[in-house]
Amino acid sequence: MQIGLNFTLGNTLDLVQRLIREGEVDYCELLIDNFLHVPPHELAGAFDCPIGFHIMFSKFLESDPEYLESMAARLRTYIDVLKPMYVSDHVARFNHNGRQLYHLAELDYRSEYDAVRQRVERWQEKLGQRLYLENYPSIMDSGCDAPGFFERITQETGGGMFFDASNAVCAHHNCGLALDAWETLIDSTPHFHVGSYNYSILEPKVVLDTHDGELSSDTLAFLERYKERFDKPGATMTYERDVNIEYDAIVADLRKLRAIFGDAKAVSHV
Amino acid sequence: MSENRTIDSELLDALMVPARQADYPRDSRAFVRIDTSLRVYWHVLFDICPELLELSGPDGLSIFRPFMAWADARQLSMNWTFISGFISGY
């Protein structure tokens, strides 16, 4: 299992490069939207390790074709130069009636399947390579439809599952979806995400995908229980941390992941 | 819907309209989910301009709730123009 870090903002570049240099991560995942102002060769030169792409704001399920064509053209330039291990995007709702949702919403997987499938096929075609689709950290009961939705859409579009293990743990807590329901999808893909969650302010508490602290014990137990399913040739496990970005705390979590997957501390890339 | 379940898309109309939160029981997951959404808008407003809290009181609600109702009535996009919409219109 290759262990990586999701790199979202330029002001953490020194931290990410140190993690690479000291062998704490094997690759770096770029939230690529945030770096499209950096020339691709310059971006490639900043990382002495393999790269993954995570797309945040294509909003490919909602955006108009002209915007997606333009964004895909820009992304393809970066794909050609950086040759990422994978390209992933979000299956979620970013707007409602033209108004921006600041906390993304979950699809109605039953009624929206056909429209989403068409969108996935088009976006994947525009990107020119397999598109990995990330599961949403469900709060409401729509989450129970997610595994069946992702199984069907990956089979019918040729896309891949980008399985966020901690999002599945959120869904388990919030809507009672068994972690076992994801087995087939975990088997189907080599690319994974993991991060911390936290709790809502109000009662009854719901579990929120916050990436603000250390990995929970139940997330780690999930990875441990399924480690043979997660680990496979070319597998990647990207650790997400967007808040409280502290080197030692991140390293502690990265080493917990390495301990689960039986990897010795990575050899330095220097 | 025949099943006793609430899906996320049923809540869309309430996710940025504080008054709609009261459509759901206070002890329900839906209420908390809407609250979680509203809090992000709250932070985008008051984290950028904390001085507003001096005008509104510490919870900000005397500004936040009418602003969000006003924004809903005018269907503000709530995109990058969010703050300028507040400054120029409200």
Side-chain angles (χ1 to χ4, degrees), chain A:
Chain A
M1 177 66 76
Q2 301 168 86
I3 306 295
L5 181 79
N6 175 266
F7 176 43
T8 58
L9 293 170
N11 60 9
T12 57
L13 178 61
D14 289 348
L15 178 145
V16 173
Q17 287 179 325
R18 182 181 169 195
L19 289 168
I20 297 167
R21 197 167 55 243
E22 297 186 356
E24 299 292 352
V25 293
D26 305 311
Y27 68 96
C28 183
E29 179 187 277
L30 303 179
L31 195 75
I32 189 63
D33 319 47
N34 283 354
F35 301 100
L36 294 178
H37 61 292
V38 181
H41 284 94
E42 188 177 324
L43 197 56
F47 300 99
D48 187 19
C49 66
I51 296 293
F53 279 4
H54 198 41
I55 303 170
M56 186 74 225
F57 289 115
S58 71
K59 307 175 187 177
F60 75 95
L61 297 176
E62 305 161 26
S63 298
D64 62 64
E66 293 76 17
Y67 172 81
L68 289 175
E69 187 64 54
S70 170
M71 186 168 191
R74 296 177 73 190
L75 286 167
R76 284 199 304 270
T77 305
Y78 288 80
I79 291 169
D80 289 345
V81 172
L82 283 95
K83 298 182 172 45
M85 295 183 289
Y86 56 82
V87 176
S88 57
D89 207 329
H90 295 74
V91 176
R93 187 184 305 282
F94 290 76
N95 294 280
H96 175 54
N97 292 337
R99 308 185 72 207
Q100 189 170 326
L101 297 165
Y102 288 0
H103 187 282
L104 305 186
E106 185 164 39
L107 304 183
D108 177 354
Y109 299 113
R110 296 183 186 179
S111 70
E112 297 184 79
Y113 180 81
D114 290 339
V116 173
R117 176 188 162 164
Q118 287 183 9
R119 286 278 185 163
V120 168
E121 287 173 338
R122 285 185 206 149
W123 186 225
Q124 186 167 242
E125 185 183 338
K126 287 181 191 300
L127 291 172
Q129 69 168 65
R130 191 177 199 197
L131 176 65
Y132 286 83
L133 303 165
E134 185 179 38
N135 51 307
Y136 180 89
S138 307
I139 299 174
M140 304 306 296
D141 298 318
S142 28
C144 295
D145 298 327
F149 167 88
F150 281 100
E151 284 181 29
R152 184 179 174 198
I153 206 159
T154 53
Q155 287 168 3
E156 295 186 358
T157 65
M161 180 74 210
F162 196 67
F163 182 68
D164 190 312
S166 41
N167 284 0
V169 173
C170 290
H172 173 64
H173 287 296
N174 292 330
C175 54
L177 175 65
L179 294 171
D180 298 355
W182 297 99
E183 282 181 354
T184 302
L185 287 158
I186 297 169
D187 288 343
S188 75
T189 184
H191 298 307
F192 306 101
H193 257 185
V194 70
S196 69
Y197 63 72
N198 218 319
Y199 296 93
S200 61
I201 303 291
L202 296 186
E203 301 272 359
K205 296 293 186 188
V206 299
V207 175
L208 304 170
D209 179 41
T210 50
H211 308 163
D212 61 348
E214 66 180 292
L215 297 171
S216 68
S217 58
D218 54 0
T219 298
L220 292 167
F222 176 38
L223 298 181
E224 174 72 37
R225 184 155 63 96
Y226 281 93
K227 63 184 176 184
E228 284 81 15
R229 290 180 180 272
F230 283 106
D231 205 0
K232 51 181 75 78
T236 65
M237 178 68 73
T238 305
Y239 176 78
E240 293 189 283
R241 182 72 164 248
D242 301 330
V243 185
N244 300 320
I245 300 174
E246 299 154 1
Y247 187 84
D248 290 344
I250 291 171
V251 166
D253 266 351
L254 292 170
R255 291 186 179 183
K256 289 174 193 168
L257 295 173
R258 288 205 187 279
I260 287 171
F261 293 104
D263 298 339
K265 187 168 173 291
V267 175
S268 171
H269 291 282
V270 175

Side-chain angles (χ1 to χ4, degrees), chain B residues 55-77:
Chain B
L55 301 173
S56 66
D59 66 8
L61 293 181
S62 68
I63 287 179
F64 182 70
R65 291 181 68 92
F67 168 61
M68 293 299 283
W70 177 85
D72 181 53
R74 285 155 185 78
Q75 291 291 287
L76 292 196
S77 67

Side-chain angles (χ1 to χ4, degrees), chain B residues 6-40:
Chain B
T6 305
I7 64 172
D8 211 38
S9 59
E10 292 176 61
L11 308 179
L12 284 168
D13 288 336
L15 293 181
M16 55 186 104
V17 184
R20 295 291 306 274
Q21 190 178 18
D23 295 345
Y24 298 88
R26 172 63 189 78
D27 61 352
S28 69
R29 203 169 1 134
F31 188 96
V32 177
R33 191 270 182 269
I34 295 164
D35 182 77
T36 300
S37 172
L38 291 170
R39 282 176 191 274
V40 189

